[in-house]
Amino acid sequence: FNACRTTHIFCRPNCPPGRRTKPEHRLVFSSAGAAAEEGYRPCLVASNPGRAGTVDAKGVKPVTIGVPAAVV
């Protein structure tokens, strides 16, 4: 899992990037749990692995911006 030191957000290795993290700000974790233990939160894609409309362990409902209801 890749993380950014400046935003404290981590992504799965296959997440589509919105913006590329500068190499000097990039950290790599072996798991999402390891990143979360260090205070990083998942990106919108990593926090919603195909479960649109559900609530995660922290009580946050994932955002599905621009996705038609028929697709979700």
Side-chain angles (χ1 to χ4, degrees):
F1 289 80
N2 302 309
C4 179
R5 288 185 177 132
T6 58
T7 62
H8 281 82
I9 295 174
F10 71 86
C11 297
R12 296 182 310 215
N14 61 347
C15 281
R19 290 179 50 203
R20 296 280 182 197
T21 303
K22 291 182 178 180
E24 61 267 23
H25 298 279
R26 190 176 302 136
L27 292 170
V28 179
F29 292 98
S30 60
S31 68
E37 286 178 10
E38 293 294 323
Y40 290 83
R41 67 176 181 85
C43 70
L44 293 177
V45 176
S47 67
N48 184 16
R51 300 179 322 224
T54 60
V55 178
D56 69 8
K58 294 181 182 177
V60 177
K61 186 173 182 178
V63 178
T64 54
I65 298 172
V67 179
V71 176
V72 180

